[in-house]
Amino acid sequence: MNKKRLRQWMAPFATATLILNTGYGILGPDAVASALPTERHNSNLTGLNIPQSHTKLATIQGRQIPITSSTKLTTLTGHKPNINQVMKLMSTQLVTSNIAPADVSNLTAIPTETTKVNLSWTNPSDINFDHVKVVNVTNDVYVDNIRSNSYMMSGLQPNTTYTFRVKTVNKSGNESLGTTVQVKTASTDAPVDKTPPGEVSGLTATNIGYNGFTINYILPKDADLSQAIIYLNGTEIQKTTGTSYTFNVLNAATAYTVMVKTIDKSGNISQGVSIPVTTSSVSTDIVPEVTGASVTSVNNYSVTVSWTKPSGISTVSLYKDGQLVTDSTGSSYTFNNLSASQTYTFTIKSKRSTGALSSGVKLTATTNSTSSNSSEVSNLEVDSKSGTWIKITYDMPSRAERVKIYVDGDYKGTTTSESYKITDLREGRWYEIKVITVNSSGRESSGVKISERTNSDGSYSSSSSSSNYEKARDLMRIAENSLNASDWRSARDAISDLPTGTRKSDLLDRLEAIRNRALGTGSSSSGTNSTTTTSGTTTSYTNNAVASYSTSFTLTPGAKTAYVDGRATTIAQAPKVINGVTMVPLRFISERVGYDVNYEKGTKKIILNRPTDGKQVVLQVKNSTLAVYELNNSRNYSTSITAPVIVNGYTLVPLRVISELSGYQVNYNAASKQITITK
């Protein structure tokens, strides 16, 4: 059959056309015809050979069929062959799929010695997965036929950065593109840590059902702790920084052994703690499901769901992405501390008093994107002021419909203008002014802030008449008179913004003197004793005096509300998770753990000094090297970290680095996504 004749008899069978996906495009009837020999074959279709280098999939009537060069269209007699014949002939010559399996996940690399790096990962669940291949990209060396989920790469150079690629391979030898990880081997100058971390404690099993259960435990407080490793019957299941894990899809009435080991940043693994757990028998009692389950509210960082409990059920168990969050006796619940622009699956399971659970009703919701909010105003500044009013100006973004004005947290008004006059103010007083944009959908931005003081003599003036130094000095005087923590922080922030010099040094000395007065045992200038009183776990200071360095913090990535020593406070820039590392505003964390902060705008270098122990820490924006100088111990060293970055005008630094250098312990709760820092 010639090419013209082939196109003619293929045209009526448009929905049954043989299409070849060669990896370079789709071959339709014309392309198939061009692949045929040029000589005639007397209405017979014979010898269609597919070049092996181009072979991927054949698509017949919407079905994708793998083929190779050994696949041929054998002789079909007649001028109008039936497509069922084609499919029948093709199906007898199918070969094993040559599609590469999915890549590994959770790839980590930990330097264990100066010449060794331990790689670990989670293998894919593809049915055609066979083994993995580890490639040392730096030296073009590879190790094949690895059938475990870890490998110790040896023979490396000390203090050298390597890139490794882990590829998956199927039974036909097809390789995936692979997943890469970069790691630096230990330096010969640094002592090698070979001590494993402490064990977890309080390992227990809860919510034991016929097909699963949840384990809970407490992580040790080792400063170099990396994560916990969960095992089931000796097989590694998960690496996690959380304190709980839920096993699913298990067998009923079956005994299991759960072990939890810990691993530190040097790759040392503990012996592990284990407990036996036996799943319950399958019950004939089918627990009824909730009804009317729905998502009732979605925000940037939270989702609210509601439901109606069935008769006889007083409690439901709530899960987020398969992990138990809490039990509830209500009819609605808000999942907080979520990430913006992320899709979550929430499951509501009815729970008997015996602990028996229903299969659960699942709901899916995607949190709002922060980018969908109105943009912020720009060029916010004070235009003019008097003793009783302050006029501000700003540039509104194109997406903003109007702005809202707040003064010291109180709403003042709404306007579509690019200027606003705030009236009824007091003479000689500092005010915090915030401008929030609102778009046509009613979404509000986080807001931009500016601080300004009204004139003390009631006269009119422009903003240029008050220098930064005068502002800092006035705030210092207020703090000296009140010994109030809020006033002290305002003075501290204003002084920190001053350029280095004698005047700044004098103000810093006075700032430290205020702290000493507030923490002393004598009386303050107002006659109020400044001794501390304790109620429960929260320490409160009489007259809200300046507190010593904070001993506990609770933060949540993406949230601007944090808790310092049990008190709620607002962070100007919310913590962010960047490449798996939690980054926090520099001043928020460093000054609260005892460091004085100096920032060089030209070099973007950050110098942290802690007078109490003579320690100095030096970082730099977009530089992954951290230097530490322990002046009292005459010891210096440097290490590699996630480089500090600037977000929305705020310098963010790695939370764990700053906290642990200061002797603080950092723990992360995977269920609540909360970070707890304790002294």
Side-chain angles (χ1 to χ4, degrees), residues 211-327:
N211 64 348
F213 54 85
T214 298
I215 60 168
N216 301 278
Y217 50 87
I218 301 172
L219 292 171
K221 295 188 178 298
D222 296 58
D224 62 342
L225 179 68
S226 175
Q227 52 193 336
I229 311 176
I230 312 296
Y231 296 83
L232 186 67
N233 288 346
T235 300
E236 181 180 326
I237 303 298
Q238 181 73 42
K239 288 185 176 72
T240 177
T241 57
T243 57
S244 67
Y245 185 80
T246 298
F247 294 93
N248 294 302
V249 198
L250 303 181
N251 297 321
T254 302
Y256 292 92
T257 298
V258 177
M259 175 175 285
V260 181
K261 297 181 179 181
T262 56
I263 181 171
D264 62 21
K265 295 176 182 177
S266 299
N268 301 302
I269 301 176
S270 69
Q271 293 295 318
V273 177
S274 62
I275 58 170
V277 184
T278 301
T279 53
S280 59
S281 301
V282 177
S283 173
T284 56
D285 173 25
I286 299 177
V287 182
E289 302 287 1
V290 300
T291 58
S294 64
V295 176
T296 57
S297 176
V298 178
N299 293 307
N300 293 39
Y301 310 111
S302 66
V303 172
T304 300
V305 299
S306 63
W307 60 87
T308 300
K309 290 177 291 189
S311 177
I313 298 295
S314 59
T315 304
V316 298
S317 293
L318 301 170
Y319 297 78
K320 180 187 69 180
D321 291 339
Q323 295 295 313
L324 177 66
V325 175
T326 188
D327 286 345

Side-chain angles (χ1 to χ4, degrees), residues 48-75:
L48 177 57
N49 291 302
I50 312 301
Q52 185 166 7
S53 62
H54 289 191
T55 304
K56 295 295 180 182
L57 295 174
T59 303
I60 298 181
Q61 289 185 323
R63 294 173 53 198
Q64 287 190 329
I65 300 174
I67 62 176
T68 66
S69 58
S70 62
T71 304
K72 300 179 180 180
L73 292 179
T74 55
T75 302

Side-chain angles (χ1 to χ4, degrees), residues 120-139:
S120 63
W121 59 84
T122 301
N123 290 321
S125 58
D126 297 42
I127 192 171
N128 65 336
F129 169 74
D130 185 67
H131 66 277
V132 301
K133 177 180 179 180
V134 177
V135 181
N136 181 346
V137 179
T138 306
N139 295 338

Side-chain angles (χ1 to χ4, degrees), residues 430 473-492 510-511 513-515 517-519 522-530 541-547:
W430 282 98
R473 183 192 59 194
D474 290 344
L475 289 174
M476 174 68 70
R477 290 171 178 171
I478 294 172
E480 284 178 326
N481 291 330
S482 68
L483 292 184
N484 182 279
S486 177
D487 293 337
W488 183 86
R489 294 189 184 99
S490 297
R492 175 200 61 190
R510 291 171 64 181
L511 188 70
I514 295 174
R515 180 193 292 276
R517 287 174 58 196
L519 295 177
S523 299
S524 68
S525 59
S526 60
T528 305
N529 190 284
S530 60
Y541 290 82
T542 305
N543 194 34
N544 194 24
V546 181

